[in-house]
Amino acid sequence: MSRKLKILVIGDAMILGSEFKQAAEKYLSNFIGEVKVGDWETDWQKLQNRRLEVEKKGPEIEEVDALIQSEGKDAELLAGLFVPISSKVFDAMPKLRIVGVSRAGLENVNVKEATKRGILVFNIEGRNAEAVSDFTVGLMLAECRNIARAHYSIKNGGWRKEFSNSDWVPELKGKKVGLVGFGYIGRLVAQKLSGFGVTRLVYDPFVDEETIRGAGCIPVDKETLFKESDFISLHARLSESTKNLVGEKEISLMKPTAYLINTARAGLVDENALLAALREKRIAGAGLDVFNFEPLKPDSEFLKLDNVTLTTHIAGTTKEALTRSPEILMEDISKFLSGQKPRFIINREVLEMPEFKNWLAGVQQ
């Protein structure tokens, strides 16, 4: 009979700890003996501010959550969404062996330290891919067709018909859409755009050309994509190598009638370079769901521009994206503990560590 585990699940304003508990009880009932539940940050706006800081600076900037301090000493599994999982957390949880976050991003987990200590890390991919890809196409249309600006005009007593792009308001058919990044979300965007009759260009040095062509897209280098595209949509992950991936040079290559869409990470774009291009109307416009500072400050230059559509970091926020993610995580952990093949292990080298092997054998026996 397998040894039962004590686990901690820590939710937040986006996904409550109670939802993680339900998922754990559904998929891990054969392995857990005790579940302790908490919520890291229950205020929605504070959560947005705190998680953004963690994404910029890493989990070590936050103090250890109260539930971890009080209940973590003998817990072996920790799961959540945005709760910071730092070296201080590992210090407070000496028996910890599995960490899981129900998101693709790992900015809130010190993976390097987890690996060093023999702690297996799970994330999930694709939980909000449908949501973000839907939103991307919507934001593209909203910006180029002035949907939000017309709505704002009517709500404020106007009936606006003239816009900064009135001389070249485009249809999508026949246009070139450049996708920077061809992971799961980028591929879904390409798929959803296929019905619009666009040519889809892709720049992703980590994806082979055969895969890109197999999806009906054309692989190109970055310079070609920025020169030829009528719309450029960003779907790369943020790392040291991709920070300011879109800078003054790339923007200078864009057509004056082209649009930049970012539903990925703010750090992919040099905001100052983008602001200058929009201000000087060197590009037609931009649709932005992510920003270096959220919420935008009252004096943000973006608020003064008429050729940008701004949304409140909501591209991935749908009912389905939120409710399914704890279940995807717990199901994958359950597969692993049951000896099946999991999908989302990040640091597989931990599986070869003798201490982890011994722990796993004790759980599975």
Side-chain angles (χ1 to χ4, degrees):
M1 182 177 178
S2 62
R3 181 169 58 79
K4 301 294 184 181
L5 307 176
K6 177 179 177 180
I7 75 171
L8 305 187
V9 291
I10 302 177
D12 49 53
M14 191 169 285
I15 305 178
L16 294 174
S18 58
E19 296 180 57
F20 280 97
K21 182 174 186 276
Q22 290 174 11
E25 290 173 341
K26 178 177 179 179
Y27 290 101
L28 296 173
S29 59
N30 292 335
F31 299 99
I32 57 176
E34 185 178 10
V35 183
K36 294 293 182 180
V37 183
D39 289 299
W40 173 54
E41 176 57 75
T42 56
D43 181 282
W44 183 270
Q45 189 55 61
K46 288 181 181 177
L47 174 65
Q48 307 315 309
N49 296 339
R50 291 178 75 180
R51 76 181 179 105
L52 185 63
E53 286 302 302
V54 169
E55 287 184 359
K56 289 180 185 176
K57 301 174 183 176
E60 302 295 336
I61 66 170
E62 284 276 355
E63 296 300 319
V64 176
D65 183 80
L67 182 67
I68 294 173
Q69 291 178 337
S70 62
E71 297 287 347
K73 189 174 182 180
D74 54 351
E76 296 169 87
L77 190 155
L78 171 64
L81 180 60
F82 292 119
V83 58
I85 303 174
S86 64
S87 61
K88 294 175 286 188
V89 168
F90 301 145
D91 290 339
M93 301 185 71
K95 294 186 178 181
L96 185 63
R97 284 294 169 262
I98 292 179
V99 159
V101 289
S102 60
R103 57 188 302 235
L106 287 160
E107 294 90 346
N108 60 315
V109 182
N110 189 333
V111 177
K112 183 177 180 180
E113 188 65 24
T115 304
K116 180 180 175 182
R117 300 191 190 209
I119 298 168
L120 197 64
V121 178
F122 285 75
N123 71 340
I124 63 170
E125 294 182 6
R127 74 171 180 96
N128 62 1
E130 292 289 352
V132 174
S133 55
D134 285 353
F135 195 92
T136 297
V137 177
L139 190 55
M140 193 178 295
L141 289 166
E143 169 55 26
C144 75
R145 297 299 305 275
N146 301 295
I147 293 171
R149 285 182 279 275
H151 171 82
Y152 181 82
S153 171
I154 292 173
K155 295 284 281 188
N156 286 275
W159 194 257
R160 186 177 178 187
K161 303 281 278 186
E162 294 295 323
F163 303 95
S164 64
N165 67 340
S166 287
D167 291 339
W168 61 80
V169 173
E171 295 177 357
L172 291 189
K173 185 176 181 179
K175 301 300 187 296
K176 291 182 179 180
V177 178
L179 303 175
V180 179
F182 206 58
Y184 192 21
I185 294 175
R187 294 176 202 196
L188 280 175
V189 172
Q191 176 188 328
K192 291 172 183 181
L193 284 170
S194 63
F196 285 92
V198 300
T199 298
R200 295 156 295 164
L201 309 180
V202 173
Y203 167 69
D204 191 328
F206 303 103
V207 177
D208 63 82
E209 293 189 359
E210 184 179 343
T211 297
I212 294 170
R213 289 196 178 94
C217 303
I218 301 171
V220 295
D221 58 39
K222 185 166 69 166
E223 182 173 328
T224 299
L225 185 143
F226 276 85
K227 279 184 175 179
E228 295 188 4
S229 297
D230 299 292
F231 297 86
I232 296 168
S233 189
L234 307 183
H235 302 288
R237 296 201 62 78
L238 181 61
S239 65
E240 284 302 315
S241 63
T242 60
K243 187 176 181 181
N244 290 337
L245 179 70
V246 182
E248 186 175 347
K249 177 185 175 182
E250 288 74 21
I251 293 171
S252 71
L253 297 173
M254 293 174 65
K255 301 176 182 179
T257 55
Y259 299 84
L260 181 70
I261 308 298
N262 190 4
T263 55
R265 287 287 186 266
L268 295 171
V269 180
D270 181 335
E271 276 195 0
N272 290 328
L274 176 59
L275 280 165
L278 290 169
R279 216 171 28 238
E280 298 162 17
K281 297 187 178 179
R282 287 187 275 116
I283 63 173
L288 307 174
D289 186 54
V290 288
F291 308 91
N292 286 336
F293 297 97
E294 297 179 9
L296 284 177
K297 296 179 180 179
D299 62 348
S300 170
E301 286 196 54
F302 283 120
L303 302 177
K304 304 172 186 176
L305 297 171
D306 192 44
N307 54 350
V308 61
T309 299
L310 312 171
T311 55
T312 54
H313 204 149
I314 54 173
T317 306
T318 61
K319 178 183 177 182
E320 292 86 352
L322 296 179
T323 56
R324 78 164 69 97
S325 59
E327 293 206 354
I328 294 172
L329 175 64
M330 296 303 179
E331 182 181 24
D332 209 49
I333 294 173
S334 175
K335 285 181 179 179
F336 170 70
L337 293 177
S338 301
Q340 301 175 52
K341 187 176 180 179
R343 298 170 59 198
F344 300 124
I345 293 175
I346 295 299
N347 51 351
R348 290 187 172 272
E349 56 267 46
V350 170
L351 299 175
E352 302 305 317
M353 295 181 178
E355 187 176 356
F356 186 86
K357 284 183 175 181
N358 291 337
W359 173 83
L360 184 60
V363 173
Q364 292 179 331
Q365 68 183 7

